[in-house]
Amino acid sequence: MRPRAGSKIGGVSVRYAVLVILALMVLLPFVSIILAALHAPGSQISGLSIPDQWSWQNFTLAWEQGNFTNLMRSSMIIAFGVVPLAVLLATLAAYGLSILKVWGNRVLSLGFVLGLTLPVELVVVALYFNLREVGLTNSYIGIILAEAALFLPFGVYWMQAHFSSMPEELVEAARIDGARDMMVLVRVLLPISWPAITTLSVLYFMWSWNQFLLVLVMMQDPDRRTAPAGLGLFVGQYSTDIPLLAAASVIVIAPIVIVYLTFQRSFVNGITQGAVKG
Amino acid sequence: MPDDLAMSPSPPRAGAARGGEENAVRRTRRLPRGSRRAKGLLYVLPALAVYVGFAIWPALSTLRLSFLEWDGILPPVWAAFENYVEIFQDPALYEAILHSLILIIFFSFVPVVIGLLMTALLLGRVRTGMTFFRVVFFLPQVLPLVAVGVTWRWLYAENGVINQFLEVIGLGGITRAWLGDYHLALVALGLIGTWTMSGLCMMLFLAGAQKIDTSLYEAAIIDGAGPFQQFRHVTLPGVRREITIAAVITTIAALASFDLVFVTTNGGPAGQTNVPALLVYRLAFNEGNIGSASALAVVLTVIVIGFVSAIRYFAREDR
């Protein structure tokens, strides 16, 4: 790989110095709360400071007082409900729109894409009162369906872009062999679509895990809130106990960071390509 | 999030004729049989039902509620445009809108500029360790904003890391509880947005810049272009699309921000960091003023769509 011609601002060492400084700025908040979480419970901390003795107690305390056994369970139930449901619906819809070219597919695609600019705020007000009428507030099902609806525009768009990039001969050949539509999807397209589906699933998991406003509104039962929603309310109760709050934040952040590190390529590709495609 | 209104409304559709192939095959390819197109509906319908039922219908209902006076319990009363008039008369409401416009500077403009600077610096030569930097710079983007908010509350606190740093560099005089400062709370809040969004912008631009044909740079050098001119005339036009996308995503995040504000300042001090989303929540679910909440949500949506269209329009015109 020869060096790019258009990159002569500063030498390589300057570039690395800038990169390292930026990386430190990004990481500083993490270092800061992890250090804070390791101080003795209830202690006063000032700035970045190494604790006199490492104390893991805050994590246990935060887990118990923050009710995290229940919060984590609901977060998981919701995420593992939303991800398969939304991925399945998006894949089927994209197949119908891009490959089967259902009547009105252009209008329908446009309708889904428009959903990308709908702010949650517009949906959530009436959604709460609509679902209250049919008894779907305070229920996992209501939240799962609402999140799936909010995430569908991106998924349909993503899977459509993916299916459109497939060579058409593939579908044609299978049809000439007499395969039915469902067979074409399951046997021909899905086996080569796993990278796209993995990326979509990972993004959906992240959005579901991080969703706050919807859960705050739809779920009043404190035992069935999600981890971020629980944390948002935990802050109000223990606003002065920094080590405890820091530990609670680390607990909420940890699962998504683990997923991110495991699937980091999917994340970066999903967000950069998902935005640029089309 | 990739809340990007696709550049072209529908994704690129395959199926354009490729010359020189058998005619019969081409016909089936272009126009699937009618029954197949009809059966396609079965595949689209489940998604459509969930999308319409849980996103479009509620959105339209919110629009309807914005014309009513309703406390959520008693029967609603028709209010015509009263709720909208109220938004422009009540300082608390229109100031919230102004605040969200100011946040655009910090969530969108500054991250785009930082992203471009970084792209200029990093293009090309830096290879080793790129994965590490990529992972790190993207990290803020995947975290729940609630946790980000809790973390920054602590960084900005009276005895937090920011003040500690200021004292070290001899600026002990200006330390304060940043999120509680009447004049600076909004800026402090905005800088959290800068922290979360800059990495995203940079990654988008780098991805775009890597697709630029190297021969363009060579041609520019032959024409005697210096580093700045190369950036101005080759890199910048090359990432125009990515700039538009970054601007759209971050602007939506700024206008519709809720989580971060709810956790860090909850609108304070004295309403200085109120944003529309926060007031929508408060009006609808704490104060039982559903009409006003809905009207504000509608105005917010109109502003979001207005900004997104404007960004797209300007990006297109210069082309």
Side-chain angles (χ1 to χ4, degrees), chain A residues 2 5-7 15-16 22 30 32 45 47-48 101 111 116 121-122 132 164 168 175 207 210 249 260 275-276, chain B residues 1-2 4 12 15 36-37 51 62 72 118 121 123 128 135 138 142 150 154 159 164 218 221 230 241 256:
Chain A
R2 81 193 132 153
S7 50
R15 286 152 196 256
Y16 274 107
L22 281 175
F30 294 96
S32 153
I45 317 169
L48 269 185
K101 301 202 165 48
L116 289 174
E121 289 82 2
L122 182 71
R132 195 179 66 175
S164 300
E168 277 186 84
R175 278 180 187 161
W207 293 338
N210 293 350
S249 303
Y260 170 60
V276 179
Chain B
M1 297 304 90
D4 177 48
R36 182 175 292 141
R37 297 189 68 172
Y51 176 55
T62 302
M118 291 307 117
L121 273 173
L123 249 189
T128 8
V135 170
F138 229 72
V142 304
V150 175
W154 155 234
N159 53 357
Q164 187 189 30
E218 282 151 19
I221 291 169
Q230 287 172 39
R241 215 169 129 88

Side-chain angles (χ1 to χ4, degrees), chain B residues 42 44 48 60 65 73 85 120 130 174 178 196 201 225 232 243 248 297 314 317:
Chain B
L42 288 177
V44 179
L48 201 61
L60 293 175
L65 288 174
I73 302 155
V85 173
M130 204 53 212
I174 64 162
W178 295 95
T196 55
C201 292
R232 168 77 186 77
I243 296 175
V248 167
F314 286 119
E317 236 217 350

